[in-house]
Amino acid sequence: MDPKELLKKVRRIHIRTSHVANDLFAGHYHSAFKGHGMEFEEVREYQPGDEIRRIDWNVTARQGKPFVKRFREERELTVMLVVDVSGSQDFGSAGQLKRELAAEVGATLAFSAIKNNDKVGLIAFSDRIERYVKPDKGLRHVLRVIRELLAIQATGKGTDIAGALDYLSRVSTRRAVVFLISDFQAAHYDRQFRVAKRRHDLIPIAITDPREAALPDVGLIELEEAETGARYVLDTGSATVRDAFAARAAAARTARDRMLRSCGVDTIGIATDRPYTQALLRFFRMRERRQ
């Protein structure tokens, strides 16, 4: 991509997604993702209503009156964006490629994170690891993450979710909030998914496009598999062909959803033909209610 055009795209996404993060999601992100522990802050004199178990008996004995320990939440989190940049992401029939939607959603989550002083990191993957950006804070860092997502020219075409999650386990030894953004057109990743779920707060974001679920009636068309290069000629004028295509797509979605539900994760579904903000907002509100 031309450097000037890349800069323009980064600026457009910055303006659009930072507005969403600051206005629409203000407060929801913080409430949805709590810190991972409590840190001692100070001792103070006991007041009616304080929990007895928080009495500091050593200080109480020295002072001759009860004192309690105060703690504060360890707020700082690490947010990892694990983003699919495989060949199938370069598809979109509704005015936006899946890859562009992934970058925009990732940017919104990243701006929400830095607004709460959290760190943000990136793993971009295809059938190999295409890019790793170590977690850090600040606007400049998030702009770098966005730039990397938009500029990556993946060397691989396939999708290896298992490999991406194995890599995550090596570079993220501490618990993190992990957004796995993909169309999940992959197989044999359930074991690695379960391992990552035990270690991290793992949240899959499944991207779809309407043309992946149903074919239009437009006669003979030639299709090419984005990740394998295989080509097919289909007669979309045949209701049997259209029904078979839709049934196959529905079966793949059902298998994916069944596996994710069995892992006990909350999946966010987004699509290229509708705004993603409502899906994220529903997820944040659901997490808030559980806290």
Side-chain angles (χ1 to χ4, degrees):
M1 187 183 297
D2 178 80
K4 290 184 178 179
E5 182 60 28
L6 175 61
L7 182 59
K8 288 180 182 178
K9 283 196 171 186
V10 171
R11 285 174 176 168
R12 283 199 297 269
I13 285 186
H14 178 200
I15 293 170
R16 187 161 59 242
T17 59
S18 61
H19 167 73
V20 171
N22 291 333
D23 297 345
L24 185 59
F25 297 149
H28 291 295
Y29 172 92
H30 180 91
S31 300
F33 299 106
K34 298 293 187 180
H36 297 313
M38 302 298 289
E39 187 177 68
F40 173 74
E41 187 171 40
E42 64 177 0
V43 293
R44 63 164 173 78
E45 192 171 343
Y46 176 87
Q47 297 176 2
D50 286 339
E51 294 185 40
I52 295 177
R53 63 181 178 175
R54 291 192 175 179
I55 291 177
D56 188 319
W57 295 106
N58 291 328
V59 176
T60 296
R62 290 197 303 269
Q63 298 295 327
K65 53 185 177 181
F67 279 77
V68 294
K69 295 178 181 178
R70 286 191 61 197
F71 296 85
R72 62 181 174 85
E73 180 188 6
E74 289 186 73
R75 171 60 235 178
E76 182 181 295
L77 301 175
T78 296
V79 174
M80 289 298 302
L81 303 176
V82 183
V83 184
D84 180 356
V85 293
S86 64
S88 63
Q89 295 298 101
D90 290 320
F91 177 76
S93 65
Q96 186 176 37
L97 300 179
K98 288 190 286 183
R99 176 173 172 168
E100 293 171 339
L101 178 57
E104 191 165 330
V105 171
T108 300
L109 295 169
F111 281 121
S112 297
I114 64 166
K115 183 178 175 62
N116 283 273
N117 203 37
D118 295 337
K119 293 181 178 179
V120 179
L122 169 69
I123 297 173
F125 71 96
S126 57
D127 51 19
R128 64 204 72 182
I129 301 302
E130 300 284 354
R131 196 81 81 248
Y132 170 61
V133 178
K134 186 177 180 181
D136 206 346
K137 299 180 181 181
L139 176 59
R140 179 175 295 183
H141 176 74
V142 167
L143 292 176
R144 179 197 170 190
V145 168
I146 297 170
R147 187 171 63 248
E148 293 283 3
L149 275 175
L150 291 173
I152 288 174
Q153 298 295 317
T155 56
K157 291 294 184 182
T159 306
D160 185 2
I161 294 176
L165 294 175
D166 279 339
Y167 186 82
L168 170 70
S169 69
R170 293 196 295 272
V171 298
S172 295
T173 55
R174 296 185 62 185
R175 183 173 174 81
V177 177
V178 178
F179 292 98
L180 175 57
I181 307 175
S182 175
D183 55 15
F184 291 88
Q185 294 184 18
H188 311 303
Y189 60 87
D190 53 315
R191 182 181 66 81
Q192 290 84 354
F193 195 96
R194 294 176 194 277
V195 170
K197 170 64 171 61
R198 288 195 295 269
R199 185 173 297 174
H200 303 290
D201 185 358
L202 180 58
I203 302 150
I205 300 180
I207 300 179
T208 59
D209 184 273
R211 282 291 172 263
E212 295 172 328
L215 289 174
D217 182 357
V218 291
L220 289 175
I221 61 170
E222 184 177 28
L223 301 179
E224 179 178 333
E225 290 274 1
E227 300 191 0
T228 66
R231 294 189 173 188
Y232 310 91
V233 175
L234 294 180
D235 181 9
T236 63
S238 166
T240 301
V241 169
R242 296 196 306 273
D243 290 346
F245 182 92
R248 182 177 177 181
R253 290 195 306 274
T254 298
R256 178 202 70 196
D257 293 344
R258 185 184 301 118
M259 192 282 290
L260 295 176
R261 280 197 304 271
S262 72
C263 293
V265 295
D266 301 316
T267 304
I268 304 172
I270 59 175
T272 57
D273 63 338
R274 58 179 183 265
Y276 65 88
T277 50
Q278 289 304 312
L280 288 184
L281 194 56
R282 281 195 301 272
F283 169 78
F284 287 153
R285 286 172 173 166
M286 178 187 66
R287 277 296 184 94
E288 286 180 89
R289 289 194 295 270
R290 290 183 182 175
Q291 298 296 336

